Amino acid sequence: MAEIVLRQSPLDHLSLDARAVAEPGPAGVVAGERRFVAKVNLRGDPADEAFVKVAKGALKVFLPTTPNTVDGKRDRYALWLGPDEWLVIGAPGTEGRLVADLRKALDGIVAAVTDVTEGRTVIRLSGVHARETLAKGCGLDLHPRAFGRGRCAQTRLGKANVILHQLDDAPTFDVYVERSFADYLWRWIEDGASEYGFAIVAEPIMAALKARRATR
Amino acid sequence: MTAQSHRNPTGGRIDRARTLGFTFNGRYYEGHPGDTLASALLANGVHLVGRSFKYHRPRGIVGSGAEEPNALVQLGQGALTEPNVRATQAELHDGLAAASVNCWPGVRWDIGAINGLLGGLFPAGFYYKTFMWPARAWRAYEWFIRRAAGLGLAPREPDPERYDGTHAHCDVLVAGGGPAGLAAALAAGRAGGRVILADEQAEIGGSLLAGGGTIDGRPARAWLDDATAELAGMAEVRVLPRATVFGYYDHNYLGIAERLADHLPPAERAGRARQRVWKVRAGRVVLATGAIERPLVFDGNDRPGVMLATAAQAYANRWAVRVGDRAVVVTNNDSAYQTALDLSESGVAVALLADLRAEVPAALAQRLSRAGIEVAAGSAVVDAAGGTRVTSAEIRRLGADGTTLEGPARHVPCDVIAVSGGWSPAVHLFSQSGGRLRWDEAIAGFVPDISRQAEVSVGAARGTFDLAAALAEGARAGAAAAHAAGFGDGTATAPAANAREVIAPRPVWRVPSAGRGKAFVDIQNDVTAADIALAAREGYSAVEHLKRYTTTGMGTDQGKTSNVNALAILAHATGTAIPAVGTTTFRPPYTPVTFGALAGRTVGPLFDPARLTAMHPWHVQAGTRFEDVGQWKRPWYYPRGSETLHQAVARECRAVRTSLGIMDASTLGKIDIQGPDAAKLLDLVYTNAWGGLEVGRCRYGLMLKEDGMVFDDGVTARLGPQHFHMTTTTGGAARVMAWLEEWLQTERPHWRVYLTSVTTQWAVAAIAGPNARRLMAELCPNIALDAIDFPFMAWRDGTVAGIAARVFRVSFSGESAFEINVPSSQGMALWQALMTAGAKYDITPYGTEAMHVLRAEKGFVIVGQETDGTVTPGDLGMDWIVGKKKPDFVGRRGLARADCKRPDRKQLVGLLPQDPKEVLVEGAQIMADAAAPPPVPMEGHVTSSYWSATLSRSFALALLKGGRARHGQTVPVHAYGKTSWAQVTEPIFYDKEGEKLRG
Amino acid sequence: MLLIACPFCGPRDETEFRCGGESHIARPGPAETVSDERWGDYLFNRANPKGVHLERWLHGHGCGQWFNVARDTVSHRVLAVYRMGDPPPKDLTP
Amino acid sequence: MKYSLLGLIKGAGNHHKDWPAAWRQPEPKPAYDVVIIGGGGHGLATAYFLAKEHGVTNVAVVEKGWIGGGNTGRNTTIVRSNYLWDESAHLYEKSLKLWEGLSQELNFNTMFSQRGVMNLAHNLHDLRELNRRVSAIRLNGIDSEFLTTEQVKAFCPIINTAPTIRYPVLGASLQRRGGTARHDAVAWGFARAADRLGVDILQNCEVTGIRREGIRVTGVETTRGFIGARKIGSVAAGHSSVIAAMAGLRLPIESHPLQALVSEPVKPVLDTVVMSGAVHVYVSQSDKGELVIGAGIDAYNSYAQRGTLQVIEEQMAALIELFPMFSRMRLMRQWAGIVDVCPDASPIMARTPVEGFYINCGWGTGGFKATPGSGWVFAHTIAQDRPHELNAAFTLERFSSGALIDEHGAAAVAH
């Protein structure tokens, strides 16, 4: 797997892992990069039963038809992006299989399967002040009464286009950002969160923290 | 402490336990936490704070808050200095340093006061009538005028402080934390709604902080403390003190400016943002912005010591400050009676209260006489004598019609005149929201009439001055707003307060003059009643004309205390009713907002994103000079050692032509197109035909706008029968994507095509040069690379240096070239592998500049450089790409228009300067006649111009009238006074047959 | 900052959208049959009403969908939002 | 009564009681030779030049509100003539020449201040365009020069020319004869001068319809009754489409808001006009001391003269990028005007298919600078019933022939 070693995420040049902490402590905002998460863009007509059925079969995940919602399991889920568009998320390295399975299953059905894994990265943002940090640059109402766990939205954050996905009530958000904007957005988030106490954590810690919260 | 000569030992909402030292005009004073600069100065007996805008008359503190027209100071020093701060809004902190503005050498002795003596020469708009001779001299006159104008000094250093901005949403936004606003917030909060309560002062409470009164049978201040405590305990209620709602925009979007650190000494501000702008989307808005007291317009009404009655009262009650030793109160309404009582209670001897009304409120009058204060009914102050401080007031009886004076003059010695000319509801935000105003005779002021947005005004802001009524209105509005958002039943119980019966004010807009003094309407801009009369005489009788001609209401206070007086005096002068004169529209902001706060964090490194490619870190390491292309950072050239741009580019070009070059082409736009009708879409948006393109091949395409002008270009590859990969220009990616979606969704909705942007999915390294294929052969075992199996304009999948890659055989350089697309995360790995393996060929990274030279040698155009939105494919000599047989494509009809068929259109040509060493200026114009005097007829311009290392001579591309028919001609090219001659040629200078790029 | 209800994503700030100008403009054709005047009218002439304007918006920073908006160009009130291809609502009083 | 220093000294003696009305407030006559719709700078200038240059004095200017209340009184007062295409350059240069003698011509100080207009370049494309424009402008006999980054710094020391900022200043073009003027004074000066030549200025007189007989106009319906007219000139920027519709015409015009703002007044700190396309802001300092700052246009059609917050936020960020020292200055007032946006960013000053109906519109964001020139050529067009050579290209027909005068590429920031 030589080339895997050689893969670089768009934030590697900031050497976040070197600055990462094992225990975020009192930090109001904890953030880190989720590298190489599999992302597959799926287009098709939700009114076309064949499409929905086949896609579900191939993904083992329902394609949400309720706007701005997410459906699926921990390591495989689909984000609603538009009336005929979804972003399918999978564990790192699974994009090839995902694309192949979908293309095979959808053969003969009008749909589009596109691997966008490399085009975007994910910044995970968590903590009691995560919401305020996002609100500094996002016009969406992120209040629990308006936006909550399992919700997603394509919107603007600072001057970058992003997809927001709220995973839990910590709250924890996954921010999907176009790779070329990742450097800007990270700096923007770190600057905005600094007043709340900001800690960087590496992916394993991120997962652990999330699990810990889940058990609470 | 004793230094504070006019501070009472008890009372007020200040913390006497701590003493704060500050300086004003270099002199040291002391005050306490809770003080504003104004209250602290008055506590030290300082009234004289500045000089006026035009006549440089001595000026004092008039108000106690946002309405202050006079007391503007330069706050802080060095990089932290700030001009024109209202002393009444500047919270005192230890070490605060302030100075008067607009006076030299000092506020006591000011050279500009000379203007006062020449005052007669400076009526309203005098500058429109003079300074016209001689014509050229205006800049000289202007030099003096500019230095006379302006108030404070702009900082001279970059601002060291940070600012912040944020979005917020709520069911109910309450603007103003006075009694009505508090009642509204409580009602809405109790119902469970999401509430934001914003108040401009450091402490919530508004008029309750300064006034007395009882609520629910207890002192109002006690009720206030409970109310704020309750609000603080509500999870969904956010209370923002030091936060001014400054703007009310469309769709209930409001701006709030919050001051986070201005009240702290600079040392304690470190790390935190100084100010924050809240952008609030509110379900409902409750405007509880209160009312602003009006001054009376009488001679000498601008002398230091003449102040608004409420201000005098606030200084006494809230700050325990005696505004003077001996006061005269003059009013045309009831409110100032309480002021007189409070003043005398605070230890100010109140000589007399003059009430313009013949009929005075009996109960109040009695309380005054019990306190030993004379009430002079039907009387007014007609002149205030004094210099840097008022020394006496001239009292006269008013005639029945208010325009004449009766009886003898009384001169009452005093050092303070507290004035109340009635109240103007603060309708600024309501007016900004688009609401319409109505003139209310009863209160002699404008009140909200017709709403345009989901808001309601309550309390004094709508002319309800009675405490009980204001509380009730607030509570009702808060409950209703919450209910509208789905919380509570819409009802609320208002706290009880003792109501008062009110005798209507007597508006006397211009107190008759006893002499020849100046009576000021706009104190900041030195606009007098006489100026307004003059404007009316000269026909500037529309209220907007009045404002602009006299500048009344145009100062930093935007006329908060002066607008209504000015209107009324204008109405009087023109013999019209006030409603007929109308009012001016209130513009945001309510009070001035710091530029930095509006910019927030969008400054410095966060001003605009820099888009980076996967190989960017390598370029940085290599010492690349970057070029900004849109938001992208693209390598411009790679200087070695001390190389100049020219030297580096020559070397990079030579490398590509003779051996091997490598370029980061990742920024090109890439769109994945899938669906049964994909080819149809390409046929529509490109000028050429796409149906016949085989899988495995690619083709160059031009996109036009409907007017036939070139809009973008790029190479598109067929990945499958229903699957294409389109590339666009770097700058055009987003534009083209939106363009395609627009055609699909709005014009061809039945077509089954899906578009996905994959611009950043792929990192692209382009290798070009005679050795490109050799290098590929080493790194790419699984693609047959010879020209037959992998011809020009084809693509193949395979691996390069072990990385899964899609390779395009396209060339923008004219050399045999391969564009290697790999997943972005492996772009760096690919680049490094190519650099290492290519070393034997001295592989040379080249930037956009070299790329431009190489493509120009081949006559390849760059959209945006050879084109500017006025160029057709024909102009570029690219008719070959315009499908003659195609029934339709975007731009086809546009091309058929008369003007697009003119034979003398500007057409792309090559230029060879007569001096082969001379590189023409890009943008240089081609003259029709080198000898012609200006205006010289021009026939085109140089679009691209370079030194060619390959041709070892200069060359250029140009657009030239009828150029294609003029090959061989020599034309004069002009730029910056220099005319050069160049020969017109075919726009291709290298490998005309294209053997190299096909080979 | 207008608040525009994307028919797909719901209410969003104006800055997420791009205004595409007047809606319901039919593209004339086939090209041969269209006069220069007719073409110029299609390309450039606009109703530009003071009052209700039927216009196209793109939710460019959201779902990427085009849709129609009926908006009062004086008060900026949004009177209706409807999908591409749908006819404008009947009763549109500002 | 002539305006002069002497007059002011006399006036000082008697409280300036003798200054007469700057213009009469007459009742409408039943009919005029020419009715100009729109009492802005362009309309008043047209009336003035009709009377002065063409002897047509039986003229009325009808204004729905108060004169100068539209874009004349809402713009950022920049005057320049550095346009790319010959047609534009000659038109705006004619205007600039008129500006240079306008105060004396009108005996009203328009405070035309030739403090220079500088257009900054922030990338290589800007530089290329800038060279192209400067070369063309100079060959057209108009002053324009190129400034290096160092020369920019020398000419305006407070600009941040550090190479480290996001979009560094790579150079600039400078037109020294460009500058600013007092916008209200332009309207008032033309009104006063036109009035003295017999022109009736009718305020609070809104046009509600245009009466025609066949294809020929006969007058205008107004809120002050019908007013007959042999010729009608529409100079109603912002509302051009509305007026044209009354005459049964469709125009290639959209009405969009253009925002502007001023800071609190401060002592002199900026003595030129700075414009930046890439960073997108333009700024100058008024004689009163306010920084006058402009933005681009909002993307949607609008007839509301209201500003928005997001545009101002962007303006401030851009301003601070170029002038970090302005960060602690304060916004005092913001507003918007309604401008005619024309597809090729050039105006229309021409006859129309309706006989006797002439239109002057489409100035987009740049109309103020053209005020005297626009009035001058439009007066000629109306009086002679044919365009002057200076406006011969600015026709309606160009939108079907395709002979546009596309100033987009070069227009940089709107203004």
Side-chain angles (χ1 to χ4, degrees), chain B residues 340-583:
Chain B
L341 291 167
D342 292 357
L343 284 182
S344 83
E345 199 167 313
S346 79
V348 181
V350 179
L352 151 154
L353 179 145
D355 191 329
L356 275 61
R357 300 170 299 183
E359 179 203 354
V360 302
L364 288 168
Q366 266 172 27
R367 290 177 54 199
L368 260 64
S369 49
R370 264 191 250 108
I373 303 170
E374 175 191 350
V375 175
S379 304
V381 172
V382 296
D383 190 14
T388 56
R389 180 76 181 267
V390 61
T391 52
S392 80
E394 178 178 344
I395 315 289
R396 297 283 298 273
R397 283 194 57 78
L398 278 175
D401 64 355
T403 63
T404 55
L405 301 176
E406 300 166 350
R410 277 175 66 189
H411 295 272
V412 181
C414 60
D415 59 2
V416 166
I417 301 178
V419 182
S420 181
W423 296 80
S424 301
V427 293
H428 304 69
L429 292 174
F430 171 79
S431 174
Q432 288 177 26
S433 77
R436 230 181 301 114
L437 300 170
R438 171 177 61 79
W439 177 256
D440 184 327
E441 283 295 344
I443 67 161
F446 286 99
V447 294
D449 187 14
I450 298 163
S451 286
R452 280 282 174 71
Q453 300 201 42
E455 54 67 45
V456 57
S457 298
V458 296
R462 70 186 297 260
T464 305
F465 300 128
D466 174 62
L467 181 57
L471 288 163
E473 274 180 15
R476 223 178 301 121
H483 182 62
F487 300 95
D489 60 5
T491 64
T493 52
N498 50 331
R500 295 182 272 105
E501 110 288 358
V502 180
I503 298 183
R506 177 187 184 185
V508 176
W509 302 107
R510 168 45 160 133
V511 175
S513 172
R516 293 194 38 178
K518 280 189 162 60
F520 288 86
V521 177
D522 183 322
I523 301 187
Q524 181 177 118
N525 277 354
D526 271 352
V527 181
T528 65
D531 288 324
I532 292 172
L534 172 65
R537 268 204 304 288
E538 292 190 274
Y540 300 96
S541 45
V543 63
E544 282 290 346
H545 282 161
L546 175 79
K547 275 181 64 175
R548 290 154 181 265
Y549 190 66
T550 65
T551 74
T552 188
M554 304 288 271
T556 64
D557 59 339
Q558 292 289 287
K560 288 184 177 58
T561 54
S562 62
N563 276 341
V564 169
N565 284 342
L567 271 172
I569 292 171
L570 175 67
H572 179 75
T574 55
T576 37
I578 292 172
V581 174
T583 182

Side-chain angles (χ1 to χ4, degrees), chain D residues 56-126:
Chain D
V56 185
T57 57
N58 185 22
V59 176
V61 176
V62 296
E63 164 57 46
K64 70 176 174 188
W66 38 282
I67 60 169
N71 295 336
T72 300
R74 295 168 183 275
N75 73 91
T76 49
T77 79
I78 298 169
V79 176
R80 57 185 185 88
S81 64
N82 54 349
Y83 276 70
L84 175 64
W85 302 109
D86 301 352
E87 298 86 345
S88 318
H90 296 151
L91 175 69
Y92 287 102
E93 178 60 12
K94 167 68 180 179
S95 195
L96 181 51
K97 288 221 166 71
L98 288 169
W99 274 109
E100 287 171 329
L102 198 59
S103 296
Q104 292 68 31
E105 161 110 27
L106 302 178
N107 178 230
F108 200 105
N109 190 351
T110 57
M111 303 183 192
F112 175 49
S113 169
Q114 294 180 289
R115 65 184 68 162
V117 173
M118 194 161 57
N119 289 79
L120 303 178
H122 296 274
N123 56 53
L124 300 177
H125 179 268
D126 282 359

Side-chain angles (χ1 to χ4, degrees), chain B residues 657 813-815 857-858 950-951 988-992 996:
Chain B
R657 292 281 182 240
S813 61
E815 296 301 326
E857 289 172 347
K858 284 290 294 177
T950 313
L951 312 170
I988 177 165
F989 304 88
Y990 178 79
D991 185 30
K992 288 195 169 61
K996 293 212 160 36

Side-chain angles (χ1 to χ4, degrees), chain B residues 14 24 74 79 171 197 240 326 377 389 393 448-449 540 542 590 690 745 760 831 836 838 873 881 884 908 949 989:
Chain B
I14 48 165
F24 179 65
Q74 187 84 24
D171 300 315
L197 169 65
L240 297 174
R326 189 174 158 81
R389 180 76 181 267
D449 187 14
Y540 300 96
Y590 173 66
W690 291 80
Q745 294 181 36
T760 49
W831 186 273
T836 312
I881 205 174
K884 306 285 171 299
L908 186 73
F989 304 88

